[in-house]
Amino acid sequence: MKATDVLVKCLENEGVEYIFGIVGSETLDLADSLSKSTKIQFINVRHEQGAAFMADVYGRTAKKPGVCFSTLGPGASNLLTGIASAQLDHSPVVALVGQAGIDRHHKESHQYVDLVKLFEPVTKWCTQIQASPTVPSAVRNAFRTAAMEKPGAAAIVLPENFSAQMIANEPLMVSPLPVTVPAMESVYAAKSLIEQHIKPFFVIGNGVVRQDAVLELLLLVEQLESPAVHSFMAKGVLPKDHPQNFYTFGFNENDLVLPGLQEADLLIVIGFDFVEKLPKDWNKKKIPVLHIDSLPAETNDYYPAEVELVGNIKQTLQLLNQTSLTQKPWEPTGNLKEVIKTAYHLNPESGNMTFTIKNMLHSIERLTNDDTIVISDVGAHKVSIARTYQPKKLNGLILSNGLASMGIAIPGAIGAKLAAPNAPVICITGDGGAMMNFSEIETAKRLGVSFIIIVLNDSMLKLEVQQMDKKFGESYGAAFTNPDFVKLAESFGIQGRRTESLVDFEDVLTEALERPNEIFLIDTVLQS
């Protein structure tokens, strides 16, 4: 069979259900081979960036690599932003990228750029097929690398001249990823370190979620009774009302938990990704660190890791929990938890019906069920969501916080819905991010997937306006005009409503939730 037929068999062997992309001249054979598959659905999207975002959120939600593909040149460069976003957010993604035939690589040629060099800086692993019999090993290595902790993006570049070559190769066996645990000597060293200190403080990252270690984390936190804080992408690891939960950290401004961290004498850092916030921003006092992660610590002045437990986080915490740690209960001074709860608007104010982002988020919390997935685009609203919104389950809030890519919400909602078809999905996006990939509503409509889109309509890039106002006293270059989002929604054949009060918003959201088989857009005009 031809090489692309073997490639598709390899993808089926990896358990691929969906491939997101746009067909081009250099990927016609791959499209032809996909058309014969009974296991893989090819989803032709409206922009390659949307394809990568769909694969990213699908991969996070399904906990296996999402797959996207593009043709060469502009198709590949369009794909690049979403691939970089997946890499920095540690989402498992495999990209298949068409390329000109090898005979065109040595000279200036139409739409040719060196795609391996283009993708290498934003992937864990990137290779170009040099001989068609190597397709099975390339696919196996790409999926293995993308899924292995810490997950990320892998890319395979497919020169056109190999696509139709006849080969006899078969897919390679899919073997489980290796699981390692630290030596018991290191576990007892960690126990000793904890015992030596009076005020440990947990710093929790998304690695705990990725490695399914939440129950073990809760046991450890409750065993020590020490305060805990989590990153943006680890929201949901602790219940909202958990007594040790000091909520989210990692903000550029008004990161209120920092005084509490500075009171600690030991930071127990578990599964934290530096891409979310560098230690120099949250450990200025250079407090000793107990590092628990799948990879060794990136040590520096602000991350003095005295003991490292390197290996599978779930099994590592199981071992640590078995050492019968002594309780270390303490409270940061100044009633810090209540200060944070008030400043971050974690509880609704009785009788306050002002139509603000905080009150809107409380309405979403109250009106949605426990299975709801909220996807945040990037902008000022992402900061508010990270502070205020409390998901009811793990992966109940999905956002981009590594590359922090505007435009992820609408295509991301498609990826989430395909991975979790029975979960209500709500994407919250600013008008700037919405217009970047609004065309993917047609993709969603064609697929028959359903979700709610909340567009925050203020005709500006609000975060940039806020930053410039603070720095210069005025803003420039961040305002624009918008279409009528309700009419635009209707032109795609979906329902749209405009809301300008909290009462109206709650009525419309309730209506949208009662239509689980439809795409529903809510155009919101919030009060300042």
Side-chain angles (χ1 to χ4, degrees):
M1 61 181 69
K2 66 180 180 180
T4 52
D5 290 336
V6 174
L7 174 59
V8 170
K9 285 186 66 176
C10 292
L11 296 174
E12 292 175 340
N13 186 56
E14 298 289 344
V16 175
E17 299 174 287
Y18 303 102
I19 296 180
F20 310 93
I22 296 180
V23 175
S25 296
E26 287 69 27
T27 56
L28 295 180
D29 280 289
L30 178 54
D32 176 61
S33 297
L34 282 171
S35 73
K36 304 167 189 173
S37 175
T38 60
K39 297 179 180 179
I40 300 174
Q41 180 180 356
F42 171 60
I43 296 173
N44 53 313
V45 304
R46 306 310 300 262
H47 194 284
E48 292 88 353
Q49 185 185 100
F53 284 148
M54 291 175 203
D56 173 341
V57 178
Y58 175 89
R60 298 192 214 188
T61 309
K63 293 195 172 182
K64 64 179 183 178
V67 183
C68 55
F69 94 77
S70 75
T71 189
L72 80 174
S77 61
N78 285 345
L79 198 71
L80 196 68
T81 295
I83 296 302
S85 184
Q87 173 71 1
L88 291 186
D89 280 340
H90 296 297
S91 302
V93 168
V94 172
L96 308 172
V97 191
Q99 178 59 296
I102 295 293
D103 61 314
R104 291 210 278 133
H105 289 199
H106 67 285
K107 54 191 174 183
E108 183 177 2
S109 186
H110 179 65
Q111 291 190 318
Y112 172 76
V113 293
D114 188 330
L115 294 182
V116 173
K117 287 184 179 179
L118 188 68
F119 279 86
E120 273 184 339
V122 297
T123 56
K124 291 178 70 178
W125 184 75
C126 179
T127 191
Q128 177 173 287
I129 299 298
Q130 300 291 346
S132 51
T134 65
V135 165
S137 61
V139 172
R140 182 79 278 268
N141 285 332
F143 276 81
R144 181 181 173 86
T145 303
M148 191 176 296
E149 185 72 15
K150 295 181 177 182
I156 302 174
V157 179
L158 307 167
E160 182 183 16
N161 58 296
F162 293 126
S163 297
Q165 289 183 356
M166 304 304 289
I167 58 176
N169 302 73
E170 292 291 327
L172 300 183
M173 180 182 70
V174 176
S175 57
L177 295 175
V179 176
T180 61
V181 294
M184 286 308 298
E185 179 182 356
S186 296
V187 176
Y188 287 120
K191 171 182 168 64
S192 177
L193 182 66
I194 294 171
E195 300 291 357
Q196 293 168 24
H197 292 85
I198 300 171
K199 295 182 176 181
F201 207 125
F202 290 97
V203 176
I204 304 164
N206 196 34
V208 172
V209 180
R210 292 193 299 264
Q211 297 218 305
D212 192 27
V214 173
L215 293 179
E216 290 75 14
L217 170 74
L218 284 170
L219 183 60
L220 180 61
V221 170
E222 289 165 3
Q223 189 175 172
L224 288 184
E225 294 189 355
S226 300
V229 69
H230 55 262
S231 71
F232 284 29
M233 294 181 66
K235 286 182 79 87
V237 294
L238 295 175
K240 179 179 179 178
D241 58 355
H242 194 285
Q244 270 66 58
N245 189 357
F246 278 70
Y247 307 104
T248 317
F249 89 112
F251 303 101
N252 290 331
E253 296 181 353
N254 301 320
D255 205 344
L256 297 183
V257 79
L258 294 184
L261 286 174
Q262 291 167 6
E263 285 186 59
D265 59 6
L266 176 68
L267 300 181
I268 304 175
V269 183
I270 309 176
F272 181 76
D273 303 321
F274 281 10
V275 72
E276 290 206 69
K277 202 68 176 176
L278 290 171
K280 71 179 181 63
D281 295 319
W282 47 268
N283 192 17
K284 295 184 184 298
K285 292 180 69 175
K286 303 177 183 178
I287 298 162
V289 169
L290 168 56
H291 174 84
I292 303 174
D293 203 357
S294 56
L295 297 178
E298 296 180 34
T299 55
N300 58 56
D301 287 348
Y302 297 96
Y303 198 76
E306 294 201 359
V307 175
E308 299 183 48
L309 297 182
V310 179
N312 179 272
I313 296 173
K314 184 183 184 74
Q315 296 194 22
T316 298
L317 294 184
Q318 288 173 351
L319 293 175
L320 188 57
N321 284 330
Q322 292 168 11
T323 63
S324 300
L325 294 162
T326 303
Q327 290 183 340
K328 301 284 182 176
W330 70 281
E331 285 280 345
T333 58
N335 200 19
L336 183 60
K337 183 166 182 173
E338 291 305 314
V339 169
I340 292 172
K341 288 173 70 174
T342 299
Y344 293 178
H345 305 276
L346 296 182
N347 294 317
E349 299 175 31
S350 178
N352 184 347
M353 297 299 291
T354 309
F355 196 21
T356 62
I357 180 71
K358 289 88 174 175
N359 284 339
M360 186 192 81
L361 294 172
H362 288 310
S363 297
I364 293 171
E365 277 187 51
R366 180 167 52 83
L367 295 173
T368 56
N369 66 32
D370 290 355
D371 293 327
T372 301
I373 298 171
V374 170
I375 301 175
S376 172
D377 216 292
V378 174
H381 62 279
K382 186 184 87 167
V383 178
S384 295
I385 291 169
R387 283 199 170 100
T388 302
Y389 184 73
Q390 301 299 310
K392 301 180 181 74
K393 68 168 187 174
L394 288 176
N395 278 330
L397 174 63
I398 295 175
L399 43 74
S400 176
N401 204 38
L403 193 65
S405 309
M406 286 180 67
I408 193 173
I410 292 175
I414 297 173
K417 195 66 182 181
L418 290 172
N422 296 321
V425 173
I426 299 174
C427 73
I428 304 175
T429 176
D431 40 13
M435 290 300 290
M436 289 184 175
N437 284 306
F438 204 88
S439 60
E440 299 302 349
I441 292 176
E442 187 279 327
T443 306
K445 179 73 173 175
R446 174 168 24 96
L447 288 172
V449 297
S450 57
F451 50 89
I452 297 169
I453 305 166
I454 298 173
V455 179
L456 306 176
N457 186 349
D458 55 16
S459 299
M460 69 176 78
L461 300 176
K462 189 171 183 178
L463 183 60
E464 285 65 33
V465 168
Q466 291 172 342
Q467 291 172 335
M468 283 191 284
D469 283 346
K470 182 177 180 179
K471 188 172 184 177
F472 307 117
E474 60 182 357
S475 63
Y476 176 79
F480 40 73
T481 58
N482 282 324
D484 184 322
F485 282 108
V486 173
K487 289 183 179 178
L488 187 57
E490 291 171 350
S491 74
F492 281 90
I494 69 171
Q495 291 288 324
R497 298 281 193 280
R498 183 178 175 90
T499 60
E500 298 184 15
S501 73
L502 189 62
V503 172
D504 285 347
F505 173 78
E506 290 186 350
D507 288 344
V508 173
L509 179 61
T510 300
E511 179 186 355
L513 291 168
E514 290 172 350
R515 295 178 162 185
N517 298 318
E518 297 182 24
I519 305 171
F520 203 112
L521 182 141
I522 306 175
D523 178 10
T524 60
V525 182
L526 298 173
Q527 296 170 246
S528 300

